[in-house]
C-alpha cells in the first residue's frame, strides 16, 4: 500500500516553529509525521544526519523511500471570479474561476485534473479535467458552485493532480462569505449568460449540493 504524506505548506511551517532540542521529542514527532513505516532507530539516524532538524530529516526520508517522480509544476496566478471572501447570498449558484500557470519544463499531459481535496464542498463536482498545458502557458479553470443555505465563511481547497494521482503545484482556494444581503460580483452578474470558459468547466446542468431537493 502506498503511503501518502501531504507535506503541504502548513505542515512545513509547523516544523519551522518547533523549537525543542529534546531528541526523544524530535524522534517521536518524526514518527508521528511519517506514520508506522520508519522505526525509532531509523528516525534517530535521519535526524542525526540532518543535525536534528526535523524538516530536513523528514524530507530526506521521503526522498529515499518515496521519490517524487512528478516533474509537473503549477503556480496560482489570480482569482478571475469570486475574490477571496466575496459576499454571496445563500443558495446562490456561481462560477468560480482561477488562473494558473505551468511553471515547469514539462507539458501537462491529458488526464490532469483539478481536484477538491479539503474544506467545504461547494460543488457537486469533485474534479474537473485540465487539458494539455505547455510550459509557461496560463489557463483559466472554472467550476460551477453554489453557496450553502447557512450564513458564514466557507472555504474549499483544490489542487492539481497528474494522471497518476499525484498532486503538484500550489493549493488554490475558494473562500466566500454567505450573507443574506450579499451580492455576486457585478462583472459576473453582467456576463453570467455569456461567460467564456477559457478551459474545461463543469457542466451547466448544476444542482445545489446543499439542497438537492430545492427547485
Amino acid at each position: 500500500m502506498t503511503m501518502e504524506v501531504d507535506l503541504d505548506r502548513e505542515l512545513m511551517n509547523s516544523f519551522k516553529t518547533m523549537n525543542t532540542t529534546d531528541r526523544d521529542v524530535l524522534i517521536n514527532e518524526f514518527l508521528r509525521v511519517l506514520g508506522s513505516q520508519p522505526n525509532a532507530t531509523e528516525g534517530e539516524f535521519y535526524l542525526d544526519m540532518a543535525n536534528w532538524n526535523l524538516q530536513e530529516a523528514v524530507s530526506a526520508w521521503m526522498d529515499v523511500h518515496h521519490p517524487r517522480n512528478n516533474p509537473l509544476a503549477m503556480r496560482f496566478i489570480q482569482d478571475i471570479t469570486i475574490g477571496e471572501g466575496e459576499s454571496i447570498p445563500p443558495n446562490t449558484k456561481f462560477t468560480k474561476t482561477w488562473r494558473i500557470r505551468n511553471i515547469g519544463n514539462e507539458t501537462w499531459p491529458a488526464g490532469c485534473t483539478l481536484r477538491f481535496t479539503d474544506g467545504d464542498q461547494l460543488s457537486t463536482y469533485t474534479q474537473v479535467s485540465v487539458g494539455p498545458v505547455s510550459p509557461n502557458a496560463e489557463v483559466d479553470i472554472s467550476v460551477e458552485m453554489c453557496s450553502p443555505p447557512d450564513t458564514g465563511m466557507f472555504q474549499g481547497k483544490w489542487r492539481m493532480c497528474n494522471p497518476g494521482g499525484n498532486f503538484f503545484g500550489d493549493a488554490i482556494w475558494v473562500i466566500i462569505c454567505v450573507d443574506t444581503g450579499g451580492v455576486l460580483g457585478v462583472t459576473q452578474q453582467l456576463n453570467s449568460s455569456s461567460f467564456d470558459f477559457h478551459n474545461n468547466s463543469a457542466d451547466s446542468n448544476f444542482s445545489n449540493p446543499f439542497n438537492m431537493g430545492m427547485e
Side-chain angles (χ1 to χ4, degrees):
M1 179 177 179
T2 301
M3 185 188 74
E4 182 173 327
V5 179
D6 184 12
L7 296 178
D8 61 13
R9 192 172 301 165
E10 295 176 357
L11 184 56
M12 299 304 276
N13 285 339
S14 72
F15 290 162
K16 294 177 182 178
T17 58
M18 190 171 184
N19 296 320
T20 182
T21 57
D22 189 308
R23 295 190 174 188
D24 288 335
V25 171
L26 289 169
I27 292 171
N28 288 335
E29 188 67 11
F30 179 92
L31 299 178
R32 184 189 69 80
V33 170
L34 293 172
S36 60
Q37 290 199 11
N39 55 37
T41 300
E42 194 172 7
E44 183 176 5
F45 169 79
Y46 278 94
L47 282 162
D48 185 64
M49 183 174 64
N51 197 27
W52 295 91
N53 181 297
L54 180 60
Q55 177 180 340
E56 292 182 7
V58 169
S59 296
W61 189 92
M62 289 293 295
D63 288 341
V64 171
H65 295 273
H66 296 276
R68 300 185 181 188
N69 299 317
N70 187 4
L72 306 183
M74 179 275 279
R75 177 174 297 155
F76 168 72
I77 302 302
Q78 67 182 96
D79 295 303
I80 301 301
T81 64
I82 311 298
E84 183 174 323
E86 186 159 343
S87 182
I88 299 176
N91 293 315
T92 300
K93 297 177 184 178
F94 63 94
T95 303
K96 174 62 186 181
T97 304
W98 302 271
R99 180 167 296 166
I100 60 177
R101 177 185 299 154
N102 179 353
I103 60 170
N105 297 319
E106 302 285 339
T107 295
W108 300 349
C112 287
T113 55
L114 179 69
R115 294 188 182 183
F116 171 77
T117 60
D118 195 18
D120 299 304
Q121 173 60 293
L122 303 176
S123 176
T124 55
Y125 299 93
T126 57
Q127 64 180 39
V128 293
S129 297
V130 180
V133 179
S134 301
N136 298 316
E138 294 183 357
V139 63
D140 292 355
I141 305 177
S142 298
V143 180
E144 293 283 356
M145 298 187 178
C146 188
S147 59
D150 300 322
T151 59
M153 294 294 296
F154 297 86
Q155 58 184 16
K157 179 181 177 181
W158 294 69
R159 294 198 66 187
M160 285 296 300
C161 188
N162 70 14
N166 298 311
F167 293 115
F168 67 92
D170 296 337
I172 58 179
W173 298 82
V174 53
I175 303 175
I176 61 172
C177 175
V178 179
D179 189 334
T180 53
V183 294
L184 290 176
V186 175
T187 301
Q188 184 163 8
Q189 287 183 336
L190 293 175
N191 296 309
S192 59
S193 61
S194 59
F195 185 79
D196 178 22
F197 295 106
H198 296 276
N199 194 48
N200 303 294
S201 65
D203 192 326
S204 60
N205 295 323
F206 177 79
S207 56
N208 186 341
F210 294 94
N211 215 340
M212 298 296 287
M214 284 195 67
E215 297 181 356

